[in-house]
């Protein structure tokens, strides 16, 4: 169950990337793009919350900390100083 939870947790970020980088470049009308973005966002939230139920709040909080922009900013700044 934990592997399924991790898979769903990682999968929950893919639709957000699709909304940011793919949907706007598709040859669709504006209402179709909005609908597709909404469906992808809802799907991402559903995957995320199912993964929270399967993994538990502690595991998800730990992984989200690594993806937080302050943590990533510190890592990139420390990497550039080396």
């Amino acid at each position: 169950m934990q592997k399924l939870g991790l898979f769903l947790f990682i999968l929950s970020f893919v639709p957000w990337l699709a909304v940011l980088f793919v949907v706007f470049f598709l040859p669709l009308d504006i209402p179709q793009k909005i609908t597709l973005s909404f469906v992808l966002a809802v799907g991402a939230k559903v995957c995320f919350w199912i993964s929270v139920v399967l993994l538990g709040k502690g595991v998800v909080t730990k992984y989200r900390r690594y993806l937080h922009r302050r943590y990533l900013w510190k890592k990139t700044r420390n990497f550039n100083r080396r």
Side-chain angles (χ1 to χ4, degrees), residues 15-70:
W16 291 112
L17 295 174
V19 167
L20 290 175
F21 298 113
V22 176
V23 171
F24 294 111
F25 299 111
L26 292 175
L28 300 172
D29 296 332
I30 299 296
Q32 291 173 332
K33 288 181 182 182
I34 292 171
T35 304
L36 182 59
S37 298
F38 178 75
V39 169
L40 288 172
V42 169
K45 286 291 183 181
V46 168
C47 285
F48 175 75
W49 285 110
I50 291 173
S51 72
V52 167
V53 169
L54 292 175
L55 293 174
K57 185 179 177 184
V59 174
V60 172
T61 304
K62 177 184 169 186
Y63 284 107
R64 285 195 80 174
R65 186 186 69 179
Y66 292 122
L67 297 173
H68 197 273
R69 63 180 167 245
R70 273 191 240 150

Side-chain angles (χ1 to χ4, degrees), residues 74-82:
K74 283 183 190 178
K75 284 293 186 185
T76 56
R77 284 183 52 200
N78 290 339
F79 181 75
N80 290 336
R81 290 183 183 174
R82 291 182 189 172

